[in-house]
Amino acid sequence: MIPHCSCHRPAPYPAAVTRYPALIALIAGAVAACGFAPLDLWPLLLVGLIVLLALVQDAPSIRSALWRGWAFGVGHFTVNNNWFQHAFDFQDKMPPVLGYVAAVGLALYLAIFPMAASGVAWRFRGRRADTAYVLIFGAAWIATEYLRARLFTGYAWDPLSVAWLPVIGVARMSAFVGTYALSGLTVVLAGAIWLALRRRWHLAAVMVPATGLAALSAPLTRAPEPAADAPLVRVVQPDVSQDQRGESDGPLLLRRLIELSGRPGPRPRLVVWPEGVVRDMIEDGYPDWAYFGFNYAPPFWTRRQIANVLGPRDTAMVGGTALYFSPDRKRVASAANSVFAIAANGQITGRYDKAHLVPYGEYLPMPWLLKPLGLARLVPGDMDFTPGPGPRSLRVPNFGPVGVQLCYEIIFSGQVVDEAHRPRLLFNPSNDAWFGRWGPPQHLAQARMRAIEEGLPIIRATPTGISAIIAADGRLVATVPHETAGAAEAPLPAALPPTLFSRIGNMLALAIAMGLAAIGVAIRRRAR
């Protein structure tokens, strides 16, 4: 009998994988992106991560591991952020085709973070795939996803954990560990399945049943129904696309918003309008030229129109623009993207200014360099917005403290609540008309994750959708579909007691990352 030579053993992977690992990683990243809204094919996220884990484990060098992690990120973020291109369709200073370049360019940068996680995991890998490698990969993913949300003002769009919303029991675990930690645990789950496919069952024996129990826990983690006499919230969606919002359309848009706002009833109502639709000034106290020089209606008239649809115990929260003037009040120095609370008598009772501004959208970074190159902001106008002070609760009669997170701000885990004055609910006005068909459902999904993390209902209003009333457990109580004019009204969902995450914040996620890393290193040393 002739013994088999090891050189004739079949390769563990198909030839295409061994010859073109970076291409396979690129495809795996694109497949993983299909796990998010609007497709919600969440098992594909696990498939993509399993391929990434295998490719990094088998990389012959740190350089190869980094290259494979980066290729995965490029595929993942190019597909997941394809909506970014549509933002270039609504301004005339740059060609729309530049949007495709920008979407890929953004992916080239964001891919650095899975690349870094891959490099760390490769450094601690063993001679064969094992639990230590998977745990360290999960820890590194938590750290890099957290850094992605922080560095260079942060871009926290679609962390891995958001893909769990179709299995809402698992998504609700973010109330205990936070979004970024749940993303790392998702990597660990994918690694456990990968090890089980290689007949190594120890990690899967823990992770698979734990995930199943979390999924089955959904009825136990459901928020209570609102009280019978709870006040009402009414979300207005006018279905006004971005290219329909010229200054001459102001009265027509205001009339549409008013028609959709309904009429008062016996219970107090909070009527909320989207960001970026009211074109007229809302505040008094500006120089006369600021109103009439720009063909704006007098602010008292605009507020009076809004107040006409309010009962004596109702409040409207309306997106608008606040202006700041030079000391001589002869020119506008800057502006703020704001939300105004307006009472039934037409008076402003509170104002919130957006703090986390969108680079290239609400301000142009490094204008001294980019303007000569012909680049401009995506939002019409030449004036950059001024950031506000950060999360702040507005006191609204009959509703208590109401937090506001304007548009993009809602995606930042652990940065949405005024900790000194915990709100009763969060209002998230947004303008998703820029972002095609993929952006709005992804934005809604991230708002649902914030509701779960903080244990607070979220009321979301957008011009074209998807507007929604979100319960404190992440359930959708009522929605207005994308590109549909309408309104959603429901009793204000109940708030939950402060969650573990809302008390500790992302220090909890970092502690979990450190714990996973410590266990992985201990296993590695014991094996040696």
Side-chain angles (χ1 to χ4, degrees), residues 44-358:
L44 294 183
L45 172 62
L46 298 177
V47 171
L49 290 173
I50 288 171
V51 174
L52 175 64
L53 286 158
L55 289 172
V56 173
Q57 166 68 29
D58 292 336
S61 66
I62 182 66
R63 181 176 180 179
S64 179
L66 292 170
W67 178 246
R68 295 174 188 191
W70 184 77
F72 176 92
V74 171
H76 179 74
F77 291 114
T78 298
V79 173
N80 211 24
N81 292 306
N82 71 78
W83 55 266
F84 193 77
Q85 178 275 326
H86 294 281
F88 287 75
D89 292 338
F90 302 102
Q91 47 77 50
D92 56 7
K93 293 186 178 181
M94 295 180 290
V97 70
L98 188 60
Y100 295 98
V101 177
V104 176
L106 177 63
L108 297 178
Y109 160 68
L110 296 175
I112 292 172
F113 297 96
M115 178 184 76
S118 299
V120 171
W122 186 88
R123 279 292 188 189
F124 288 91
R125 83 198 193 293
R127 292 183 177 178
R128 64 174 190 169
D130 61 4
T131 297
Y133 165 72
V134 170
L135 294 179
I136 292 170
F137 212 135
W141 198 280
I142 295 172
T144 55
E145 201 166 81
Y146 174 82
L147 289 174
R148 175 161 69 89
R150 293 281 181 170
L151 294 179
F152 309 113
T153 78
Y155 186 80
W157 195 269
D158 269 357
L160 296 185
S161 53
V162 176
W164 283 114
L165 278 167
V167 190
I168 198 165
V170 177
R172 287 176 185 165
M173 294 302 103
S174 63
F176 302 98
V177 301
T179 288
Y180 306 133
L182 185 56
S183 293
L185 293 175
T186 301
V187 173
V188 174
L189 174 63
I193 296 171
W194 172 54
L195 293 177
L197 294 174
R198 293 186 163 204
R199 301 179 183 273
R200 301 184 184 106
W201 309 99
H202 297 86
L203 190 57
V206 175
M207 290 302 300
V208 173
T211 305
L213 289 174
L216 294 173
S217 72
L220 302 178
T221 53
R222 185 183 174 99
E225 296 300 318
D229 59 348
L232 300 176
V233 290
R234 185 177 182 90
V235 180
V236 175
Q237 178 173 298
D239 189 28
V240 180
S241 64
Q242 192 64 31
D243 53 2
Q244 291 179 305
R245 276 179 251 175
E247 291 183 5
S248 61
D249 298 320
L252 177 62
L253 299 183
L254 184 61
R255 192 177 312 123
R256 186 182 300 186
L257 289 162
I258 289 170
E259 290 172 353
L260 292 170
S261 294
R263 294 297 169 185
R267 285 194 274 180
R269 295 187 311 154
L270 183 64
V271 180
V272 297
W273 290 3
E275 175 194 26
V277 177
V278 176
R279 312 300 295 179
D280 294 314
M281 293 293 104
I282 294 176
E283 285 187 309
D284 296 310
Y286 295 168
D288 289 343
W289 61 263
Y291 303 119
F292 304 113
F294 294 106
N295 296 319
Y296 291 134
F300 69 86
W301 183 88
T302 301
R303 296 199 308 271
R304 186 70 263 166
Q305 295 291 103
I306 297 170
N308 284 340
V309 301
L310 303 178
R313 296 192 296 166
D314 295 352
T315 298
M317 299 190 76
V318 177
T321 302
L323 299 181
Y324 297 98
F325 297 88
S326 61
D328 61 5
R329 295 177 67 79
K330 291 184 178 180
R331 64 180 180 86
V332 178
S334 62
N337 189 356
S338 304
V339 170
F340 300 89
I342 300 174
N345 61 5
Q347 297 300 306
I348 297 173
T349 60
R351 187 183 106 190
Y352 171 83
D353 294 341
K354 186 176 182 181
H356 206 136
L357 301 178
V358 182

